[in-house]
Amino acid sequence: MKQKLKNGEVALGLWVTLESPSITEIALRLGLDWICIDTEHGHLDFKEVVEHSRAASRSDVACLVRVQEIEQGVIKRVLDLGADGILVPQIRTAEEVERAVYFAKYPPRGFRGIGAERSTFWGKALSEARTGNEHTLVIPLIENMEAGRNIHSIMDVPDVDAFFFGPADYSASAGYAGEWEGPGVADEILRVKDQIRERGFACGIMATDSKNGQTRLEQGFQMVGIGADAGLLIRAMTEMMQSLGRIVDPGTWNR
């Protein structure tokens, strides 16, 4: 995954919000490059992280976890359980990003402890810690106006691998909660993205559909999410039902 991003290759992935590890198995079989297990929102916990990580193990697919916060114990545990890296939500400053990197890396770069867990084959491969830092990905999420304003100092933090944008939260921080890209937000994201790309970092974002995904590639995003598992399932079911004459009423979602 790191090499693909460094080479400028496109990396397609899936956002995982449902508990079944079969979802990750399907993603692997389809040839995706990464999955992101979302533990910031929803109901997934460490048990589900283990199951999805197990499904992705011994594959070329990067297993990433969006942690719920910059907390030493949480970051250490998801990496020990087999994740290849973390996505760090709602960062605002370089100091926050530095703290996330510090928790994700072994000494001397960081403060991650060496555990007898999946990451070291239950203590039988402690030597994995020697190269663990170079293989572990740390990807901050740029999802608020403050992060956009501080992007230059944030990019100065060593050992960050890429940046991923969250348009909905970015819109909320700009005063447009409930919109994917509120007025001016789309342009602001592209402006910040261009600054990041000028520094040689890869940028990621979620696509809302296939046409939008193609647009994102043309805009220079390398790491493109094809969607979230639940959203893709809902979209496919809705399209199939409507093709068979059953109109899906959007109003039912609020009942």
Side-chain angles (χ1 to χ4, degrees), residues 185-205:
V185 172
D187 291 337
E188 174 65 10
I189 287 176
L190 292 181
R191 185 187 69 81
V192 178
K193 181 268 301 178
D194 288 342
Q195 294 177 1
I196 294 172
R197 296 291 290 135
E198 287 174 4
R199 288 282 295 271
F201 289 101
C203 288
I205 200 165

Side-chain angles (χ1 to χ4, degrees), residues 77-213:
R77 288 191 71 183
V78 298
L79 293 175
D80 281 354
L81 293 176
D84 297 306
I86 56 172
L87 269 73
V88 189
Q90 292 292 352
I91 62 97
R92 298 176 183 276
T93 66
E95 289 74 19
E96 290 175 335
V97 176
E98 170 58 35
R99 192 161 71 251
V101 173
Y102 184 70
F103 292 154
K105 302 292 185 176
Y106 292 118
R109 173 64 179 96
F111 196 65
R112 178 184 173 189
I114 301 175
E117 253 295 342
R118 179 171 285 101
S119 60
T120 59
F121 196 59
W122 293 272
K124 297 299 182 181
L126 290 179
S127 60
E128 290 293 314
R130 297 174 188 167
T131 57
N133 285 355
E134 62 189 80
H135 296 309
T136 301
L137 293 109
V138 177
I139 303 173
L141 279 152
I142 307 300
E143 46 191 349
N144 56 70
M145 298 289 286
E146 190 173 350
R149 289 193 292 268
N150 293 330
I151 195 61
H152 288 290
S153 61
I154 289 171
M155 288 189 290
D156 287 336
V157 177
D159 301 310
V160 168
D161 298 286
F163 294 91
F164 205 95
F165 284 86
D169 282 322
Y170 212 114
S171 291
S173 76
Y176 304 105
E179 297 186 42
W180 182 247
E181 287 182 310
V185 172
D187 291 337
E188 174 65 10
I189 287 176
L190 292 181
R191 185 187 69 81
V192 178
K193 181 268 301 178
D194 288 342
Q195 294 177 1
I196 294 172
R197 296 291 290 135
E198 287 174 4
R199 288 282 295 271
F201 289 101
C203 288
I205 200 165
M206 293 291 288
T208 55
D209 54 33
S210 58
K211 183 178 179 180
N212 179 254

